Amino acid sequence: MAFIKVENLTHIYHPGTPQESVALDKVNLSIEAGEFVAVLGTNGSGKSTLARHLNGLLLPTEGRCFIRGLDTCNEQELWQIRQQIGMVFQNPDNQLIAAVVEDDVAFGPENLGMDPQEIRAKVNASLQAVNMAKYRTFAPHLLSGGQKQRIAIAGALAMDTDCLVLDEPTAMLDPQGREEVLRTVQKLHEERGITIVYITHFMEEASVADRIVVMDKGQVAADGTPREIFADVPGMKKCGLDVPLAVEVVWQLRHQGIKLPEDILTEDELVEALEAYTCQSN
Amino acid sequence: MSIELKQVSYTYMPKTPYEHKALDDVSFTLDEGSFTAIAGHTGSGKSTLVQHLNGLLHPECGQVLVDGVDLADSSRTGRQAAKEARNKVGMVFQYPEQQLFEETIAADIAFGPKNQGLEGEALAKRVKEAMELMGLDYAAYKDRSPFQLSGGQKRRVAIAGVLALHPKYLVLDEPTAGLDPQGREDLIQIICRLRKKWKLTIVFVSHNMEDIARLADSVVIMNHGQMAIKAAPQAAFEQVGILQAAGLQEPQMLHLLHRLQAVGLPVKADGIQLADGIHAIKEALSHAK
Ligand SMILES: Nc1ncnc2c1ncn2[C@@H]1O[C@H](COP(=O)(O)OP(=O)(O)OP(=O)(O)O)[C@@H](O)[C@H]1O
Ligand SMILES: Nc1ncnc2c1ncn2[C@@H]1O[C@H](COP(=O)(O)OP(=O)(O)OP(=O)(O)O)[C@@H](O)[C@H]1O
Ligand SMILES: [Mg+2]
Ligand SMILES: [Mg+2]
C-alpha cells in the first residue's frame, strides 16, 4: 500500500464566490513508504495546497486523499493521520505558537501523548539537529527569520513520524544552513527510511531526491527521477523553473560540440566527466 | 546625498537574561545611486541593520543619517525633517506577512501612497503601475484578499506596495526568498530597470552570491553583529575564510572552477556567471588538447 495516495484531488478555495480559485485540479499521486519526493512548481501552482491536504488541514473539494489507507475525509481517522505526518509550513510564523522555544518544539510530541522523558530527549535532539539548542529558552517570535525556520523544522523532527512534509524549509536560511537542513533530511531518509515530501524552489536541493513531481496550474505536469526531469533543460525553463548548475553547464557544452555524457546531474559527476574528457583527448 | 551609519550598535532586550547585542559598532556609507548587498549567517544582524535605515529601530549608540538628517532626531525642530527623511526609504520586509494588512490587494498597495497625500486618479495609477511591475494583473488581483494568496504571490504584493511609494532609497530584506526561478529573475530585472529609471539607491539582503555578484557594487558581510567586510563582490568572494565564518559559500560557478583547477584542469577561475564559466571551461579544454 502506498504511504500517500491522492486520487482525483481537486481543491477550490472559496467556491461559488468571486474569489473562487482552483488550486488543485484532479491531481493523482502515489508516494510509497520510504520515498524522498521533491515537489517543484512556480508560485501559485498548488504545492502548499497539496501539502496541507496531506495532514487533513485542508479537505478535498473533490477526490480523496489517503495516508496509509486512512482517509482524510473521515474525521475519526484524521487524528491518526496527523500522528504520522510531521509538517513544516512555508511561513514559520503560522507554526510557532508557544511562548518559549522548547515548549514549541515539545508541542507536537505532547499532542501525540509521548511520555515526558521521551519528549525531553526528542526536544533536545531536534534542537541540536538544527543547531538551535542554545535558544531553547528564547521566545520564538523574537528570533531572526532563519532561526524561526530552524525551530519550525525542529518541531516537526521532534514528532518522530514516519513521514515529513516540508514546505520550502530552507527559503530563509544561509547557504551553510541550507546544506545542513538538507543533510539532516537526507539522513532521516537514508538511515531510518522516513518518507519525505520536500517542496522547494532550489533545483540543487531537488536533485538529491529519489523523485521529482512538477506542479503546474494545479496539475502534475511531470513526474520522474531528477535525471529524467532535468534532462529537459529548455522545457524546465519554459515553465518558469530551472535546472542545477552542473546540468546547465553540460547542456551548454554539449550544444557547443563538446561530447560529454548527457545524464550528468551533480557537480561531482561533472568534474569527473571533464577530467575524463581531457585525459582521453590527450 | 547618501545614507550614513556611524558606529551603530543595537541591543535587544537590554538588562534582561535575553539581552542580545545584534549590532556592534557598524559604520558605512551608502552613496546615492549605489547598490549594496548585505549577506551573513542566520541571526548575524542583517534585518536589525536594515530596520535602522528607515528608522524602525533607532541605534542604542551611534547615528543613522539619511541625506544628512538624523533619523532619531526627536527635538521640536528636527522631528519633521526626521519624518521626511524616513519617508524617503521604502522597505520590503523579510516576511511579506509583516506588511500586508488591508482587505484587498489594491487597498494594501494604495496605503502608502495615500499616506503621502496621493488620491483619485493619480493614486489608482500608482497602484496599477506597481502591480504591473510585479506581474500582478490589475483586474484579476485588485479585489482579492492579500492573505488568500500563495507565498510567492504575497511577496509580489508586498514589493508592489513599496514600489508604489516611489521611494528614493529602496531596502529589500531577502526579496527573492520564496520566488520561483523565473520570478526571481523577473524581480532582478525590474529592480535593475527601476534603478536606472528612478535613480534608486538600493540595499538588498541576500544569500545568493550570484545575484550579489551581478547586481551589487559592494557587499557588506555581517558576522555576529559586526561588519566583517565591505568590499566589491569580486574582492569579497576571494576572502573564502570570511565567507565561511559568516555562513556563506563562494558562488557556485567559482566553486566548480576551483574544483576543476584542483584536479589539474588549466581553467581560469574568475567567472561567476554562467557564460563566463562556460567560456573558461571551453578555453581550458582546448588548451588541454
Ligand atoms: N487561502 C486562500 N484563499 C484563496 N486562494 C488561495 C488561498 N491560498 C492559496 N490560494 C490560491 O491557490 C493557488 C495555489 O496556491 P498555493 O499556496 O498552493 O501555491 P504554491 O505552489 O504553494 O505557491 P508558492 O510557491 O508561491 O508558495 C494560488 O493561485 C493561490 O492564489
Ligand atoms: N525582537 C527581538 N528581540 C530579541 N532578540 C532579537 C529580536 N529580533 C532579533 N533578535 C536577535 O538578534 C539577532 C539578529 O537578528 P536579525 O533578525 O537581525 O538576524 P538576520 O541576520 O536578519 O538573520 P536571518 O538571516 O535569519 O533573517 C538574532 O540572534 C536574533 O535572535
Ligand atoms: Mg507555497
Ligand atoms: Mg533577517
Side-chain angles (χ1 to χ4, degrees):
Chain A
M1 183 179 33
F3 196 107
I4 293 169
K5 193 157 181 58
V6 168
E7 281 178 2
N8 249 319
L9 175 61
T10 293
H11 189 89
I12 304 178
Y13 287 103
H14 313 293
T17 73
Q19 282 93 41
E20 174 172 302
S21 137
V22 181
L24 294 175
D25 182 10
K26 301 199 187 70
V27 172
N28 285 292
L29 188 65
S30 171
I31 294 175
E32 295 303 317
E35 262 193 297
F36 181 162
V37 179
V39 181
L40 300 176
T42 52
N43 293 136
S45 58
K47 305 179 296 298
S48 299
T49 305
L50 177 63
R52 289 197 283 258
H53 276 272
L54 301 183
N55 73 343
L57 214 65
L58 289 177
L59 296 176
T61 309
E62 258 172 64
R64 286 293 171 83
C65 181
F66 298 98
I67 307 299
R68 277 186 169 153
L70 303 168
D71 187 341
T72 60
C73 287
N74 186 340
E75 223 170 299
Q76 276 93 51
E77 293 177 351
L78 203 53
W79 190 75
Q80 238 175 310
I81 288 173
R82 293 204 175 134
Q83 283 192 308
Q84 313 203 27
I85 309 262
M87 274 282 265
V88 178
F89 291 95
Q90 184 161 2
N91 179 347
D93 282 328
N94 296 338
Q95 178 157 11
L96 304 176
I97 35 183
V100 178
V101 163
E102 59 185 352
D103 294 348
D104 206 286
V105 177
F107 184 81
E110 268 164 11
N111 263 352
L112 298 181
M114 246 185 236
D115 76 73
Q117 202 136 18
E118 201 186 345
I119 293 179
R120 210 163 311 139
K122 289 278 184 292
V123 169
N124 285 340
S126 5
L127 281 173
Q128 244 144 33
V130 297
N131 247 323
M132 287 295 288
K134 67 174 186 227
Y135 292 91
R136 55 183 313 138
T137 61
F138 275 63
H141 65 280
L142 298 182
L143 295 173
S144 80
Q147 289 167 340
K148 283 182 193 170
Q149 202 156 39
R150 287 166 184 255
I151 300 301
I153 295 168
L157 296 180
M159 287 176 67
D160 204 11
T161 51
D162 292 336
C163 174
L164 279 175
V165 177
L166 305 112
D167 195 351
E168 300 191 36
T170 60
M172 289 296 170
L173 298 184
D174 60 56
Q176 286 172 26
R178 270 174 50 199
E179 227 175 76
E180 280 162 28
V181 166
L182 188 62
R183 230 180 292 129
T184 305
V185 171
Q186 266 180 296
K187 219 169 105 194
L188 286 171
H189 167 65
E190 278 159 17
E191 291 176 3
R192 305 208 353 236
I194 305 283
T195 309
I196 310 279
V197 178
Y198 191 101
I199 298 172
T200 183
H201 288 299
F202 294 105
M203 304 300 132
E204 254 77 17
E205 293 183 353
S207 72
V208 312
D210 304 325
R211 174 177 164 200
I212 294 177
V213 168
V214 180
M215 299 289 299
D216 187 32
K217 300 191 189 73
Q219 299 183 326
V220 174
D223 184 344
T225 65
R227 266 178 236 282
E228 288 162 359
I229 296 292
F230 291 131
D232 182 12
V233 177
M236 287 298 275
K237 297 202 168 179
K238 218 171 99 196
C239 64
L241 299 173
D242 206 350
V243 298
L245 181 71
V247 174
E248 172 93 51
V249 169
V250 169
W251 193 80
Q252 299 240 2
L253 288 174
R254 281 175 54 88
H255 273 253
Q256 299 180 30
I258 293 168
K259 290 195 179 55
L260 293 170
E262 70 185 315
D263 63 343
I264 288 173
L265 184 65
T266 65
E267 194 182 81
D268 284 349
E269 292 167 1
L270 174 57
V271 171
E272 210 173 290
L274 285 170
E275 211 182 346
Y277 183 89
T278 47
C279 290
Q280 129 213 347
S281 51
N282 274 337
Chain B
M1 295 317 225
S2 61
I3 298 185
E4 255 178 294
L5 270 80
K6 289 185 170 170
Q7 298 179 302
V8 171
S9 294
Y10 188 84
T11 303
Y12 284 108
M13 326 236 327
K15 304 194 186 77
T16 72
Y18 304 114
E19 174 171 315
H20 181 88
K21 190 158 204 175
L23 291 180
D24 185 3
D25 196 17
V26 176
S27 301
F28 58 77
T29 301
L30 306 169
D31 289 319
E32 183 158 341
S34 62
F35 196 131
T36 309
I38 298 179
H41 63 85
T42 289
S44 60
K46 303 178 298 292
S47 297
T48 307
L49 177 64
V50 296
Q51 288 175 65
H52 277 78
L53 302 179
N54 71 341
L56 267 176
L57 296 176
H58 291 310
E60 171 194 10
C61 309
Q63 268 188 321
V64 180
L65 305 178
V66 172
D67 294 343
V69 175
D70 184 346
L71 293 188
D73 194 341
S74 58
S75 70
R76 262 186 53 196
T77 45
R79 202 180 305 157
Q80 186 57 26
K83 190 175 160 217
E84 278 163 24
R86 283 200 291 272
N87 282 340
K88 294 182 190 169
V89 185
M91 164 100 180
V92 178
F93 289 93
Q94 185 164 2
Y95 283 102
E97 284 85 354
Q98 289 173 292
Q99 67 195 108
L100 301 174
F101 47 92
E102 290 279 352
E103 262 171 37
T104 70
I105 290 174
D108 205 287
I109 296 170
F111 181 83
K114 212 162 140 188
N115 263 355
Q116 290 179 338
L118 239 57
E119 48 188 38
E121 196 51 30
L123 180 62
K125 221 178 110 202
R126 264 300 169 83
V127 172
K128 248 189 226 167
E129 173 200 61
M131 286 179 68
E132 268 154 26
L133 280 171
M134 289 314 299
L136 295 161
D137 183 64
Y138 183 72
Y141 281 95
K142 70 175 168 45
D143 295 324
R144 282 182 66 174
S145 158
F147 301 101
Q148 296 171 356
L149 293 174
S150 82
Q153 290 165 340
K154 281 182 195 161
R155 169 141 338 255
R156 287 165 207 247
V157 174
I159 298 174
V162 173
L163 294 181
L165 289 164
H166 282 197
K168 175 173 175 194
Y169 298 98
L170 179 61
V171 181
L172 305 133
D173 196 351
E174 302 198 37
T176 60
L179 291 182
D180 58 55
Q182 185 63 51
R184 293 174 80 101
E185 193 51 42
D186 290 349
L187 177 63
I188 283 167
Q189 297 306 332
I190 292 159
I191 293 175
C192 288
R193 235 172 49 225
L194 292 182
R195 182 188 183 193
K196 279 202 199 117
K197 202 167 141 199
W198 294 355
K199 304 205 168 41
L200 283 170
T201 305
I202 298 174
V203 178
F204 178 86
V205 179
S206 172
H207 291 303
N208 186 310
M209 299 294 132
E210 286 73 20
D211 290 349
I212 292 176
R214 67 182 161 144
L215 294 172
D217 24 62
S218 73
V219 55
V220 170
I221 294 185
M222 296 295 295
N223 187 352
H224 292 98
Q226 296 181 329
M227 185 171 88
I229 187 174
K230 179 173 191 275
Q234 295 278 355
F237 296 156
E238 281 165 20
Q239 312 269 343
V240 179
I242 291 183
L243 288 186
Q244 267 168 4
L248 305 172
Q249 283 167 352
E250 62 181 339
Q252 251 188 313
M253 181 54 89
L254 216 49
H255 186 255
L256 171 64
L257 296 176
H258 282 145
R259 279 191 64 186
L260 291 175
Q261 280 183 334
V263 299
L265 234 70
V267 296
K268 275 217 290 265
D270 56 2
I272 292 172
Q273 305 307 331
L274 183 66
D276 307 330
I278 300 279
H279 182 75
I281 295 172
K282 267 179 63 187
E283 287 267 287
L285 292 181
S286 65
H287 283 309
K289 284 202 171 159

